[in-house]
Amino acid sequence: KAGVTQTPRYLIKTRGQQVTLSCSPISGHRSVSWYQQTPGQGLQFLFEYFSETQRNKGNFPGRFSGRQFSNSRSEMNVSTLELGDSALYLCASSATGVINSPLHFGNGTRLTVT
Amino acid sequence: AQKITQTQPGMFVQEKEAVTLDCTYDTSDPSYGLFWYKQPSSGEMIFLIYQGSYDQQNATEGRYSLNFQKARKSANLVISASQLGDSAMYFCAMRDSGYSTLTFGKGTMLLVSP
């Protein structure tokens, strides 16, 4: 079974630009979560989608948005990029999102904002 | 609110020795799940082991075991017979019944020396 696939692996953008990251979950998984990882803040939850609906949202500004398609693939968009948005963005999928359902992560997209 | 604390920023261990990585948690929910993940330098988060709050026995997965002490709210990861490939960041995470997201600790960097 193929794992979680994130594209692209690396991105370099300039302040003020916008970026879209893509995530394909494990086949059959309906829950997709996004996390931002930085050395200072660690892993911070962005949002979670389940069956095309945003089920949970972390404490990030409205510049961060996402969506999920009918095939469970998900995209994350960051508009008006800031230097502080430089981070590793991790996507994870799970079958249901219930307590005992682990998240399975992709390799991440490393975003650098200059 | 749920909280995960990993007090060891870094740990050193020699190959073939056992090592314990500490994790304490805080939640008011009686039903919750605890997870450990490994993150090598490549960036991917790898799921290692799961422990449910109502599980009677400590979880084990190969060389990984979880020392679950519910009253003390601790869920320490024990790695037996360390290998060089175990060198990585290790994250403890929790999900309770009120959320479908995982909350992560800050992580512990484990270095295994020959």
Side-chain angles (χ1 to χ4, degrees):
Chain A
K1 208 177 210 183
V4 177
T5 304
Q6 289 188 248
T7 55
R9 288 294 310 274
Y10 303 93
L11 266 177
I12 300 176
K13 291 287 187 179
T14 305
R15 268 183 306 175
Q17 289 186 315
Q18 74 164 18
V19 67
T20 299
L21 313 181
S22 179
C23 173
S24 294
I26 292 172
S27 177
H29 284 192
R30 297 165 66 188
S31 169
V32 174
S33 298
W34 289 89
Y35 286 82
Q36 181 196 65
Q37 186 177 24
T38 59
Q41 298 299 317
L43 279 150
Q44 293 186 286
F45 171 71
L46 281 155
F47 28 66
E48 185 223 359
Y49 288 87
F50 185 86
S51 294
E52 301 180 67
T53 300
Q54 188 179 85
R55 189 159 69 173
N56 283 289
K57 188 177 188 305
N59 189 25
F60 277 81
R63 300 185 297 106
F64 292 81
S65 63
R67 59 177 176 170
Q68 186 180 33
F69 302 95
S70 57
N71 61 358
S72 292
R73 191 177 71 84
S74 178
E75 286 182 348
M76 189 191 94
N77 185 276
V78 187
S79 63
T80 319
L81 284 165
E82 301 177 358
L83 295 179
D85 297 333
S86 294
L88 179 66
Y89 290 88
L90 291 163
C91 168
S93 72
S94 68
T96 59
V98 298
I99 286 181
N100 64 349
S101 178
L103 295 184
H104 299 274
F105 286 82
N107 288 323
T109 294
R110 188 166 296 279
L111 172 65
T112 302
V113 182
T114 62
Chain B
Q2 22 176 9
K3 186 178 178 182
I4 297 283
T5 302
Q6 295 180 255
T7 57
Q8 307 155 313
M11 290 284 286
F12 294 89
V13 67
Q14 279 201 307
E15 207 176 0
K16 300 179 185 175
E17 290 185 348
V19 63
T20 297
L21 306 183
D22 294 342
C23 172
T24 58
Y25 60 91
D26 189 27
T27 179
S28 57
D29 202 309
S31 180
Y32 51 88
L34 296 155
F35 302 78
W36 277 91
Y37 283 82
K38 170 185 178 181
Q39 187 179 40
S41 56
S42 59
E44 183 184 3
M45 297 280 284
I46 302 167
F47 167 65
L48 296 177
I49 195 167
Y50 166 80
Q51 178 84 44
S53 59
Y54 293 118
D55 292 344
Q56 294 298 312
Q57 293 189 325
N58 287 342
T60 60
E61 288 287 347
R63 295 186 298 110
Y64 304 108
S65 61
L66 206 151
N67 183 2
F68 181 47
Q69 298 186 46
K70 195 170 181 177
R72 297 179 62 185
K73 293 190 174 180
S74 75
N76 299 336
L77 177 70
V78 180
I79 305 175
S80 63
S82 298
Q83 301 172 356
L84 295 179
D86 293 334
S87 293
M89 280 289 285
Y90 288 81
F91 292 93
C92 179
M94 179 175 71
R95 173 194 278 143
D96 66 25
S97 62
Y99 300 84
S100 60
T101 65
L102 285 188
T103 298
F104 286 84
K106 293 293 188 184
T108 296
M109 173 65 79
L110 176 66
L111 291 178
V112 182
S113 61

